[in-house]
Amino acid sequence: MLVTSYELLRDAQKNHYAVGAFNVENMEMAIAVLNAAEETKSPVIMQTTPGTIRYAGADMYFANIRAAAQRTSLPVVCHLDHGDSFAAAVHAFRVGYTSIMIDGSKLPFNENIALTKSVADVCHAGNVPVEAELGRVGGKEDDLDNRGTDNPYTDPKEAEEFVARTGCDSLAVGIGTAHGVYKGIPHLNFDVLRKIHELVSIPLVLHGTSGVPDEQVTEAMKLGICKVNYATDLRIAFTRGVKEYMKEKPEGFDPKKYGAYGMKEVKAYVAQKMQMLKG
């Protein structure tokens, strides 16, 4: 069933687990994520970035996720990941997305507050929750490029003020993760996260989690992380499956055949993460 992320994340916060948020790039990935949720009996957030939406349209991705949600009694959220403008956020809201992220993290502090509040005011009128970001998650993924960020960490006192002034429902924080493929093993700054958790009462979100060791994710969950995003690893898994099929059958041409291989890899990856996120 299609739901908003509000009750989902509040329940995760209350019961000390996290909800997996998985970027879906096509119908096959949406089906694979749904199958993993069914297998593990897990709530799930399926999300798309503005770059993905530009590829095929928000209505197309919403239709895929809504269809997936109608196939299950489990809670499914359709989330806009890293909404990059007021217009993009409101467009996804009008299409039917049940959770919206507005990412003003590249803006000066007060401008980020103004943008986030403007999106929250619109979405809250339709009972749709809003995720915001303060601090920077580094790296590059899709059209998002935060390479060269000087300070990747969220300031805890600024986070407290930001939440109070914007009315956002969840907050993505910078604690040392990065989008894309890591060149080494990431090390999250739990001291920063602990201070944010002490000052901020709303659910916290971890971005750039592909490649982060599971034990670091579970530690972050103890310090207020209620939503964990995975994107790059799903792309890698799907592509690995397609390559495997084409290696076995280089003359193959049926998208359903190699798509099934990609789905199998994505499902296995997502199911493992869902089990881990149960805490």
Side-chain angles (χ1 to χ4, degrees):
M1 57 181 176
L2 192 64
V3 301
T4 75
S5 60
Y6 185 82
E7 292 297 337
L8 222 57
L9 297 187
R10 291 290 178 176
D11 186 74
Q13 185 180 46
K14 177 182 177 181
N15 293 295
H16 309 292
Y17 67 94
V19 181
F22 302 94
N23 287 49
V24 292
E25 309 283 345
N26 54 28
M27 177 188 73
E28 287 80 6
M29 293 174 81
I31 293 172
V33 171
L34 173 66
N35 289 343
E38 288 275 294
E39 182 178 284
T40 61
K41 300 295 186 287
S42 300
V44 64
I45 297 170
M46 298 191 200
Q47 54 189 31
T48 56
T49 62
T52 300
I53 287 172
R54 282 190 281 272
Y55 177 69
D59 57 341
M60 183 66 74
Y61 288 105
F62 175 69
N64 274 276
I65 296 170
R66 179 177 58 187
Q70 290 172 344
R71 293 185 177 188
T72 183
S73 60
L74 294 168
V76 177
V77 173
C78 180
H79 177 74
L80 174 67
D81 187 29
H82 288 289
D84 54 5
S85 67
F86 177 84
V90 172
H91 176 66
F93 166 74
R94 288 175 173 165
V95 165
Y97 277 55
T98 57
S99 183
I100 301 293
M101 180 189 182
I102 181 64
D103 182 359
S105 61
K106 289 185 177 181
L107 299 173
F109 183 65
N110 284 320
E111 290 182 27
N112 190 359
I113 286 175
L115 175 62
T116 301
K117 187 179 186 305
S118 69
V119 172
D121 287 345
V122 172
C123 293
H124 287 169
N127 296 315
V128 171
V130 171
E131 175 185 332
E133 183 170 329
L134 185 65
R136 298 279 186 87
V137 177
K140 185 179 189 301
E141 179 188 332
D142 209 8
D143 290 343
L144 180 70
D145 191 347
N146 278 342
R147 292 173 298 183
T149 298
D150 292 332
N151 182 7
Y153 301 127
T154 300
D155 180 279
K157 289 297 292 181
E158 285 191 349
E160 181 182 31
E161 179 183 351
F162 184 90
V163 170
R165 291 175 60 186
T166 62
C168 63
D169 302 283
S170 59
L171 182 68
V173 294
I175 58 170
T177 55
H179 297 103
V181 178
Y182 289 99
K183 294 181 180 179
I185 298 175
H187 297 282
L188 306 189
N189 191 325
F190 295 117
D191 288 337
V192 170
L193 180 57
R194 185 175 293 105
K195 291 174 184 176
I196 296 170
H197 184 43
E198 290 171 355
L199 296 172
V200 174
S201 62
I202 63 174
L204 303 177
V205 180
L206 187 64
H207 284 241
T209 321
S210 289
V212 175
D214 287 352
E215 58 268 23
Q216 292 193 43
V217 176
T218 54
E219 183 65 24
M221 289 162 56
K222 297 174 185 177
L223 298 172
I225 294 296
C226 302
K227 174 176 177 275
V228 180
N229 286 23
Y230 293 96
T232 299
D233 279 353
L234 272 73
R235 293 176 174 181
I236 292 171
F238 186 81
T239 303
R240 180 171 59 244
V242 172
K243 287 180 177 178
E244 179 184 349
Y245 176 85
M246 298 309 295
K247 183 178 179 180
E248 292 176 3
K249 301 178 181 179
E251 301 304 319
F253 60 86
D254 187 344
K256 296 188 296 297
K257 300 292 185 181
Y258 56 76
Y261 272 59
M263 288 169 61
K264 180 181 177 181
E265 292 289 330
V266 171
K267 179 189 172 185
Y269 175 85
V270 171
Q272 186 273 320
K273 296 304 179 187
M274 285 179 164
Q275 288 287 20
M276 179 268 297
L277 294 172
K278 289 178 182 289

mmCIF file with all atom_site columns, all heavy atoms in Angstrom, residues 79-99:
data_model
loop_
_atom_site.group_PDB
_atom_site.id
_atom_site.type_symbol
_atom_site.label_atom_id
_atom_site.label_alt_id
_atom_site.label_comp_id
_atom_site.label_asym_id
_atom_site.label_entity_id
_atom_site.label_seq_id
_atom_site.pdbx_PDB_ins_code
_atom_site.Cartn_x
_atom_site.Cartn_y
_atom_site.Cartn_z
_atom_site.occupancy
_atom_site.B_iso_or_equiv
_atom_site.pdbx_formal_charge
_atom_site.auth_seq_id
_atom_site.auth_comp_id
_atom_site.auth_asym_id
_atom_site.auth_atom_id
_atom_site.pdbx_PDB_model_num
ATOM 1   N N   . HIS A 1 79 ? 9.283  8.430  -2.924  1.00 0.00 ? 79 HIS A N   1
ATOM 2   C CA  . HIS A 1 79 ? 10.028 9.571  -2.390  1.00 0.00 ? 79 HIS A CA  1
ATOM 3   C C   . HIS A 1 79 ? 10.861 10.259 -3.467  1.00 0.00 ? 79 HIS A C   1
ATOM 4   O O   . HIS A 1 79 ? 11.523 9.602  -4.275  1.00 0.00 ? 79 HIS A O   1
ATOM 5   C CB  . HIS A 1 79 ? 10.953 9.057  -1.279  1.00 0.00 ? 79 HIS A CB  1
ATOM 6   C CG  . HIS A 1 79 ? 11.835 10.096 -0.664  1.00 0.00 ? 79 HIS A CG  1
ATOM 7   N ND1 . HIS A 1 79 ? 11.373 11.063 0.204   1.00 0.00 ? 79 HIS A ND1 1
ATOM 8   C CD2 . HIS A 1 79 ? 13.178 10.310 -0.775  1.00 0.00 ? 79 HIS A CD2 1
ATOM 9   C CE1 . HIS A 1 79 ? 12.391 11.819 0.604   1.00 0.00 ? 79 HIS A CE1 1
ATOM 10  N NE2 . HIS A 1 79 ? 13.495 11.398 0.016   1.00 0.00 ? 79 HIS A NE2 1
ATOM 11  N N   . LEU A 1 80 ? 10.834 11.589 -3.449  1.00 0.00 ? 80 LEU A N   1
ATOM 12  C CA  . LEU A 1 80 ? 11.741 12.369 -4.293  1.00 0.00 ? 80 LEU A CA  1
ATOM 13  C C   . LEU A 1 80 ? 13.050 12.532 -3.544  1.00 0.00 ? 80 LEU A C   1
ATOM 14  O O   . LEU A 1 80 ? 13.087 13.115 -2.456  1.00 0.00 ? 80 LEU A O   1
ATOM 15  C CB  . LEU A 1 80 ? 11.149 13.745 -4.606  1.00 0.00 ? 80 LEU A CB  1
ATOM 16  C CG  . LEU A 1 80 ? 12.083 14.704 -5.364  1.00 0.00 ? 80 LEU A CG  1
ATOM 17  C CD1 . LEU A 1 80 ? 12.357 14.191 -6.780  1.00 0.00 ? 80 LEU A CD1 1
ATOM 18  C CD2 . LEU A 1 80 ? 11.515 16.116 -5.402  1.00 0.00 ? 80 LEU A CD2 1
ATOM 19  N N   . ASP A 1 81 ? 14.131 12.046 -4.115  1.00 0.00 ? 81 ASP A N   1
ATOM 20  C CA  . ASP A 1 81 ? 15.446 12.120 -3.492  1.00 0.00 ? 81 ASP A CA  1
ATOM 21  C C   . ASP A 1 81 ? 16.197 13.336 -4.054  1.00 0.00 ? 81 ASP A C   1
ATOM 22  O O   . ASP A 1 81 ? 16.267 13.528 -5.267  1.00 0.00 ? 81 ASP A O   1
ATOM 23  C CB  . ASP A 1 81 ? 16.212 10.823 -3.805  1.00 0.00 ? 81 ASP A CB  1
ATOM 24  C CG  . ASP A 1 81 ? 17.535 10.719 -3.074  1.00 0.00 ? 81 ASP A CG  1
ATOM 25  O OD1 . ASP A 1 81 ? 17.652 11.293 -1.976  1.00 0.00 ? 81 ASP A OD1 1
ATOM 26  O OD2 . ASP A 1 81 ? 18.445 10.044 -3.595  1.00 0.00 ? 81 ASP A OD2 1
ATOM 27  N N   . HIS A 1 82 ? 16.734 14.156 -3.185  1.00 0.00 ? 82 HIS A N   1
ATOM 28  C CA  . HIS A 1 82 ? 17.541 15.320 -3.571  1.00 0.00 ? 82 HIS A CA  1
ATOM 29  C C   . HIS A 1 82 ? 16.817 16.255 -4.545  1.00 0.00 ? 82 HIS A C   1
ATOM 30  O O   . HIS A 1 82 ? 17.381 16.665 -5.571  1.00 0.00 ? 82 HIS A O   1
ATOM 31  C CB  . HIS A 1 82 ? 18.875 14.877 -4.181  1.00 0.00 ? 82 HIS A CB  1
ATOM 32  C CG  . HIS A 1 82 ? 19.820 14.310 -3.180  1.00 0.00 ? 82 HIS A CG  1
ATOM 33  N ND1 . HIS A 1 82 ? 20.460 15.077 -2.228  1.00 0.00 ? 82 HIS A ND1 1
ATOM 34  C CD2 . HIS A 1 82 ? 20.224 13.032 -2.956  1.00 0.00 ? 82 HIS A CD2 1
ATOM 35  C CE1 . HIS A 1 82 ? 21.212 14.304 -1.465  1.00 0.00 ? 82 HIS A CE1 1
ATOM 36  N NE2 . HIS A 1 82 ? 21.083 13.065 -1.881  1.00 0.00 ? 82 HIS A NE2 1
ATOM 37  N N   . GLY A 1 83 ? 15.574 16.586 -4.225  1.00 0.00 ? 83 GLY A N   1
ATOM 38  C CA  . GLY A 1 83 ? 14.900 17.613 -5.005  1.00 0.00 ? 83 GLY A CA  1
ATOM 39  C C   . GLY A 1 83 ? 15.764 18.863 -5.056  1.00 0.00 ? 83 GLY A C   1
ATOM 40  O O   . GLY A 1 83 ? 16.198 19.365 -4.013  1.00 0.00 ? 83 GLY A O   1
ATOM 41  N N   . ASP A 1 84 ? 16.045 19.343 -6.259  1.00 0.00 ? 84 ASP A N   1
ATOM 42  C CA  . ASP A 1 84 ? 17.047 20.403 -6.406  1.00 0.00 ? 84 ASP A CA  1
ATOM 43  C C   . ASP A 1 84 ? 16.474 21.796 -6.623  1.00 0.00 ? 84 ASP A C   1
ATOM 44  O O   . ASP A 1 84 ? 17.219 22.744 -6.879  1.00 0.00 ? 84 ASP A O   1
ATOM 45  C CB  . ASP A 1 84 ? 18.015 20.059 -7.538  1.00 0.00 ? 84 ASP A CB  1
ATOM 46  C CG  . ASP A 1 84 ? 17.308 19.755 -8.857  1.00 0.00 ? 84 ASP A CG  1
ATOM 47  O OD1 . ASP A 1 84 ? 16.067 19.902 -8.929  1.00 0.00 ? 84 ASP A OD1 1
ATOM 48  O OD2 . ASP A 1 84 ? 18.001 19.349 -9.811  1.00 0.00 ? 84 ASP A OD2 1
ATOM 49  N N   . SER A 1 85 ? 15.160 21.940 -6.516  1.00 0.00 ? 85 SER A N   1
ATOM 50  C CA  . SER A 1 85 ? 14.544 23.263 -6.646  1.00 0.00 ? 85 SER A CA  1
ATOM 51  C C   . SER A 1 85 ? 13.124 23.209 -6.101  1.00 0.00 ? 85 SER A C   1
ATOM 52  O O   . SER A 1 85 ? 12.536 22.125 -5.947  1.00 0.00 ? 85 SER A O   1
ATOM 53  C CB  . SER A 1 85 ? 14.498 23.703 -8.113  1.00 0.00 ? 85 SER A CB  1
ATOM 54  O OG  . SER A 1 85 ? 13.601 22.880 -8.855  1.00 0.00 ? 85 SER A OG  1
ATOM 55  N N   . PHE A 1 86 ? 12.578 24.378 -5.814  1.00 0.00 ? 86 PHE A N   1
ATOM 56  C CA  . PHE A 1 86 ? 11.182 24.466 -5.378  1.00 0.00 ? 86 PHE A CA  1
ATOM 57  C C   . PHE A 1 86 ? 10.268 23.866 -6.445  1.00 0.00 ? 86 PHE A C   1
ATOM 58  O O   . PHE A 1 86 ? 9.350  23.102 -6.135  1.00 0.00 ? 86 PHE A O   1
ATOM 59  C CB  . PHE A 1 86 ? 10.820 25.927 -5.118  1.00 0.00 ? 86 PHE A CB  1
ATOM 60  C CG  . PHE A 1 86 ? 9.379  26.149 -4.731  1.00 0.00 ? 86 PHE A CG  1
ATOM 61  C CD1 . PHE A 1 86 ? 8.968  26.002 -3.416  1.00 0.00 ? 86 PHE A CD1 1
ATOM 62  C CD2 . PHE A 1 86 ? 8.435  26.515 -5.689  1.00 0.00 ? 86 PHE A CD2 1
ATOM 63  C CE1 . PHE A 1 86 ? 7.637  26.207 -3.055  1.00 0.00 ? 86 PHE A CE1 1
ATOM 64  C CE2 . PHE A 1 86 ? 7.111  26.719 -5.346  1.00 0.00 ? 86 PHE A CE2 1
ATOM 65  C CZ  . PHE A 1 86 ? 6.706  26.570 -4.023  1.00 0.00 ? 86 PHE A CZ  1
ATOM 66  N N   . ALA A 1 87 ? 10.542 24.193 -7.715  1.00 0.00 ? 87 ALA A N   1
ATOM 67  C CA  . ALA A 1 87 ? 9.695  23.711 -8.809  1.00 0.00 ? 87 ALA A CA  1
ATOM 68  C C   . ALA A 1 87 ? 9.722  22.186 -8.911  1.00 0.00 ? 87 ALA A C   1
ATOM 69  O O   . ALA A 1 87 ? 8.686  21.546 -9.092  1.00 0.00 ? 87 ALA A O   1
ATOM 70  C CB  . ALA A 1 87 ? 10.134 24.330 -10.132 1.00 0.00 ? 87 ALA A CB  1
ATOM 71  N N   . ALA A 1 88 ? 10.915 21.590 -8.780  1.00 0.00 ? 88 ALA A N   1
ATOM 72  C CA  . ALA A 1 88 ? 11.031 20.129 -8.875  1.00 0.00 ? 88 ALA A CA  1
ATOM 73  C C   . ALA A 1 88 ? 10.301 19.451 -7.727  1.00 0.00 ? 88 ALA A C   1
ATOM 74  O O   . ALA A 1 88 ? 9.628  18.422 -7.924  1.00 0.00 ? 88 ALA A O   1
ATOM 75  C CB  . ALA A 1 88 ? 12.506 19.730 -8.878  1.00 0.00 ? 88 ALA A CB  1
ATOM 76  N N   . ALA A 1 89 ? 10.421 20.020 -6.540  1.00 0.00 ? 89 ALA A N   1
ATOM 77  C CA  . ALA A 1 89 ? 9.763  19.437 -5.375  1.00 0.00 ? 89 ALA A CA  1
ATOM 78  C C   . ALA A 1 89 ? 8.248  19.507 -5.500  1.00 0.00 ? 89 ALA A C   1
ATOM 79  O O   . ALA A 1 89 ? 7.531  18.521 -5.246  1.00 0.00 ? 89 ALA A O   1
ATOM 80  C CB  . ALA A 1 89 ? 10.231 20.153 -4.104  1.00 0.00 ? 89 ALA A CB  1
ATOM 81  N N   . VAL A 1 90 ? 7.748  20.659 -5.896  1.00 0.00 ? 90 VAL A N   1
ATOM 82  C CA  . VAL A 1 90 ? 6.299  20.835 -6.016  1.00 0.00 ? 90 VAL A CA  1
ATOM 83  C C   . VAL A 1 90 ? 5.743  19.981 -7.158  1.00 0.00 ? 90 VAL A C   1
ATOM 84  O O   . VAL A 1 90 ? 4.634  19.435 -7.061  1.00 0.00 ? 90 VAL A O   1
ATOM 85  C CB  . VAL A 1 90 ? 5.953  22.321 -6.194  1.00 0.00 ? 90 VAL A CB  1
ATOM 86  C CG1 . VAL A 1 90 ? 4.475  22.499 -6.527  1.00 0.00 ? 90 VAL A CG1 1
ATOM 87  C CG2 . VAL A 1 90 ? 6.306  23.096 -4.923  1.00 0.00 ? 90 VAL A CG2 1
ATOM 88  N N   . HIS A 1 91 ? 6.509  19.839 -8.223  1.00 0.00 ? 91 HIS A N   1
ATOM 89  C CA  . HIS A 1 91 ? 6.060  18.998 -9.332  1.00 0.00 ? 91 HIS A CA  1
ATOM 90  C C   . HIS A 1 91 ? 5.875  17.550 -8.869  1.00 0.00 ? 91 HIS A C   1
ATOM 91  O O   . HIS A 1 91 ? 4.849  16.918 -9.164  1.00 0.00 ? 91 HIS A O   1
ATOM 92  C CB  . HIS A 1 91 ? 7.061  19.047 -10.482 1.00 0.00 ? 91 HIS A CB  1
ATOM 93  C CG  . HIS A 1 91 ? 6.721  18.129 -11.617 1.00 0.00 ? 91 HIS A CG  1
ATOM 94  N ND1 . HIS A 1 91 ? 5.606  18.299 -12.409 1.00 0.00 ? 91 HIS A ND1 1
ATOM 95  C CD2 . HIS A 1 91 ? 7.347  17.004 -12.085 1.00 0.00 ? 91 HIS A CD2 1
ATOM 96  C CE1 . HIS A 1 91 ? 5.551  17.337 -13.313 1.00 0.00 ? 91 HIS A CE1 1
ATOM 97  N NE2 . HIS A 1 91 ? 6.592  16.535 -13.127 1.00 0.00 ? 91 HIS A NE2 1
ATOM 98  N N   . ALA A 1 92 ? 6.861  17.021 -8.149  1.00 0.00 ? 92 ALA A N   1
ATOM 99  C CA  . ALA A 1 92 ? 6.744  15.643 -7.652  1.00 0.00 ? 92 ALA A CA  1
ATOM 100 C C   . ALA A 1 92 ? 5.564  15.517 -6.693  1.00 0.00 ? 92 ALA A C   1
ATOM 101 O O   . ALA A 1 92 ? 4.823  14.520 -6.720  1.00 0.00 ? 92 ALA A O   1
ATOM 102 C CB  . ALA A 1 92 ? 8.041  15.227 -6.968  1.00 0.00 ? 92 ALA A CB  1
ATOM 103 N N   . PHE A 1 93 ? 5.379  16.508 -5.863  1.00 0.00 ? 93 PHE A N   1
ATOM 104 C CA  . PHE A 1 93 ? 4.240  16.538 -4.936  1.00 0.00 ? 93 PHE A CA  1
ATOM 105 C C   . PHE A 1 93 ? 2.920  16.479 -5.713  1.00 0.00 ? 93 PHE A C   1
ATOM 106 O O   . PHE A 1 93 ? 2.011  15.706 -5.364  1.00 0.00 ? 93 PHE A O   1
ATOM 107 C CB  . PHE A 1 93 ? 4.324  17.802 -4.090  1.00 0.00 ? 93 PHE A CB  1
ATOM 108 C CG  . PHE A 1 93 ? 3.076  18.153 -3.337  1.00 0.00 ? 93 PHE A CG  1
ATOM 109 C CD1 . PHE A 1 93 ? 2.697  17.438 -2.210  1.00 0.00 ? 93 PHE A CD1 1
ATOM 110 C CD2 . PHE A 1 93 ? 2.278  19.219 -3.750  1.00 0.00 ? 93 PHE A CD2 1
ATOM 111 C CE1 . PHE A 1 93 ? 1.536  17.775 -1.509  1.00 0.00 ? 93 PHE A CE1 1
ATOM 112 C CE2 . PHE A 1 93 ? 1.130  19.562 -3.053  1.00 0.00 ? 93 PHE A CE2 1
ATOM 113 C CZ  . PHE A 1 93 ? 0.756  18.840 -1.930  1.00 0.00 ? 93 PHE A CZ  1
ATOM 114 N N   . ARG A 1 94 ? 2.810  17.252 -6.775  1.00 0.00 ? 94 ARG A N   1
ATOM 115 C CA  . ARG A 1 94 ? 1.566  17.292 -7.565  1.00 0.00 ? 94 ARG A CA  1
ATOM 116 C C   . ARG A 1 94 ? 1.348  15.997 -8.338  1.00 0.00 ? 94 ARG A C   1
ATOM 117 O O   . ARG A 1 94 ? 0.201  15.586 -8.551  1.00 0.00 ? 94 ARG A O   1
ATOM 118 C CB  . ARG A 1 94 ? 1.592  18.498 -8.502  1.00 0.00 ? 94 ARG A CB  1
ATOM 119 C CG  . ARG A 1 94 ? 1.429  19.829 -7.778  1.00 0.00 ? 94 ARG A CG  1
ATOM 120 C CD  . ARG A 1 94 ? 1.585  21.015 -8.700  1.00 0.00 ? 94 ARG A CD  1
ATOM 121 N NE  . ARG A 1 94 ? 1.274  22.275 -8.017  1.00 0.00 ? 94 ARG A NE  1
ATOM 122 C CZ  . ARG A 1 94 ? 1.586  23.469 -8.477  1.00 0.00 ? 94 ARG A CZ  1
ATOM 123 N NH1 . ARG A 1 94 ? 2.229  23.594 -9.640  1.00 0.00 ? 94 ARG A NH1 1
ATOM 124 N NH2 . ARG A 1 94 ? 1.265  24.555 -7.800  1.00 0.00 ? 94 ARG A NH2 1
ATOM 125 N N   . VAL A 1 95 ? 2.424  15.357 -8.757  1.00 0.00 ? 95 VAL A N   1
ATOM 126 C CA  . VAL A 1 95 ? 2.298  14.080 -9.477  1.00 0.00 ? 95 VAL A CA  1
ATOM 127 C C   . VAL A 1 95 ? 1.750  13.000 -8.557  1.00 0.00 ? 95 VAL A C   1
ATOM 128 O O   . VAL A 1 95 ? 1.039  12.089 -9.001  1.00 0.00 ? 95 VAL A O   1
ATOM 129 C CB  . VAL A 1 95 ? 3.671  13.666 -10.053 1.00 0.00 ? 95 VAL A CB  1
ATOM 130 C CG1 . VAL A 1 95 ? 3.679  12.207 -10.478 1.00 0.00 ? 95 VAL A CG1 1
ATOM 131 C CG2 . VAL A 1 95 ? 4.026  14.547 -11.254 1.00 0.00 ? 95 VAL A CG2 1
ATOM 132 N N   . GLY A 1 96 ? 2.077  13.095 -7.260  1.00 0.00 ? 96 GLY A N   1
ATOM 133 C CA  . GLY A 1 96 ? 1.572  12.101 -6.320  1.00 0.00 ? 96 GLY A CA  1
ATOM 134 C C   . GLY A 1 96 ? 2.599  11.498 -5.386  1.00 0.00 ? 96 GLY A C   1
ATOM 135 O O   . GLY A 1 96 ? 2.269  10.643 -4.561  1.00 0.00 ? 96 GLY A O   1
ATOM 136 N N   . TYR A 1 97 ? 3.850  11.917 -5.498  1.00 0.00 ? 97 TYR A N   1
ATOM 137 C CA  . TYR A 1 97 ? 4.882  11.405 -4.601  1.00 0.00 ? 97 TYR A CA  1
ATOM 138 C C   . TYR A 1 97 ? 4.441  11.612 -3.149  1.00 0.00 ? 97 TYR A C   1
ATOM 139 O O   . TYR A 1 97 ? 3.885  12.663 -2.802  1.00 0.00 ? 97 TYR A O   1
ATOM 140 C CB  . TYR A 1 97 ? 6.212  12.128 -4.835  1.00 0.00 ? 97 TYR A CB  1
ATOM 141 C CG  . TYR A 1 97 ? 7.032  11.578 -5.984  1.00 0.00 ? 97 TYR A CG  1
ATOM 142 C CD1 . TYR A 1 97 ? 6.502  11.453 -7.277  1.00 0.00 ? 97 TYR A CD1 1
ATOM 143 C CD2 . TYR A 1 97 ? 8.351  11.181 -5.777  1.00 0.00 ? 97 TYR A CD2 1
ATOM 144 C CE1 . TYR A 1 97 ? 7.260  10.957 -8.322  1.00 0.00 ? 97 TYR A CE1 1
ATOM 145 C CE2 . TYR A 1 97 ? 9.126  10.684 -6.822  1.00 0.00 ? 97 TYR A CE2 1
ATOM 146 C CZ  . TYR A 1 97 ? 8.568  10.568 -8.093  1.00 0.00 ? 97 TYR A CZ  1
ATOM 147 O OH  . TYR A 1 97 ? 9.330  10.066 -9.130  1.00 0.00 ? 97 TYR A OH  1
ATOM 148 N N   . THR A 1 98 ? 4.696  10.621 -2.310  1.00 0.00 ? 98 THR A N   1
ATOM 149 C CA  . THR A 1 98 ? 4.189  10.653 -0.938  1.00 0.00 ? 98 THR A CA  1
ATOM 150 C C   . THR A 1 98 ? 5.259  11.071 0.080   1.00 0.00 ? 98 THR A C   1
ATOM 151 O O   . THR A 1 98 ? 5.033  10.984 1.286   1.00 0.00 ? 98 THR A O   1
ATOM 152 C CB  . THR A 1 98 ? 3.617  9.286  -0.553  1.00 0.00 ? 98 THR A CB  1
ATOM 153 O OG1 . THR A 1 98 ? 4.629  8.275  -0.711  1.00 0.00 ? 98 THR A OG1 1
ATOM 154 C CG2 . THR A 1 98 ? 2.417  8.934  -1.439  1.00 0.00 ? 98 THR A CG2 1
ATOM 155 N N   . SER A 1 99 ? 6.376  11.518 -0.400  1.00 0.00 ? 99 SER A N   1
ATOM 156 C CA  . SER A 1 99 ? 7.450  12.029 0.452   1.00 0.00 ? 99 SER A CA  1
ATOM 157 C C   . SER A 1 99 ? 8.373  12.853 -0.442  1.00 0.00 ? 99 SER A C   1
ATOM 158 O O   . SER A 1 99 ? 8.689  12.432 -1.549  1.00 0.00 ? 99 SER A O   1
ATOM 159 C CB  . SER A 1 99 ? 8.222  10.874 1.101   1.00 0.00 ? 99 SER A CB  1
ATOM 160 O OG  . SER A 1 99 ? 9.225  11.334 1.977   1.00 0.00 ? 99 SER A OG  1
#
